[in-house]
């Protein structure tokens, strides 16, 4: 399968530091590949507290579990730097 420039550019997201990519519990429609930057995966531990489970970097893939399983997101993904993502 060949991906042309238009398809590629429509599916690249640019996010600023601290922007939320998706929230825990949301329906998963996309998975992501980090082209540039870092993303933190955070899990709720209380009403007002979260735990950073992992920090992902360029080349890492995330968000696939909810897409494959057809369930809600198991954690929140937040850009921890300026990022470019392919979804």
């Amino acid at each position: 399968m060949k991906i042309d420039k238009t398809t590629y550019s429509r599916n690249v997201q640019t996010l600023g530091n601290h922007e939320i990519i998706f929230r825990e519990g949301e329906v998963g429609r996309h998975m992501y590949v980090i082209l540039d930057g870092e993303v933190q995966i955070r899990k709720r531990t209380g009403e007002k507290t979260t735990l950073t489970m992992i920090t992902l970097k360029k080349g890492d893939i995330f968000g696939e579990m909810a897409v494959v399983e057809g369930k809600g997101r198991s954690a929140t993904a937040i850009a921890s730097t300026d990022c470019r993502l392919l979804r």
Side-chain angles (χ1 to χ4, degrees), residues 26-38:
E26 290 179 348
V27 175
R29 292 187 179 88
H30 305 286
M31 59 179 277
Y32 301 85
V33 179
I34 302 173
L35 301 175
D36 291 302
E38 295 183 357

Side-chain angles (χ1 to χ4, degrees), residues 2-3 8 11-12 14 16 21 38 54 56 60 65 67 69 74 83-85:
K2 185 178 179 185
I3 299 176
Y8 179 82
N11 290 290
V12 171
T14 302
I21 302 159
E38 295 183 357
I54 191 167
L56 303 171
D60 288 334
M65 286 174 47
V67 174
E69 294 176 353
S74 60
C83 290
R84 274 187 334 119
L85 307 175

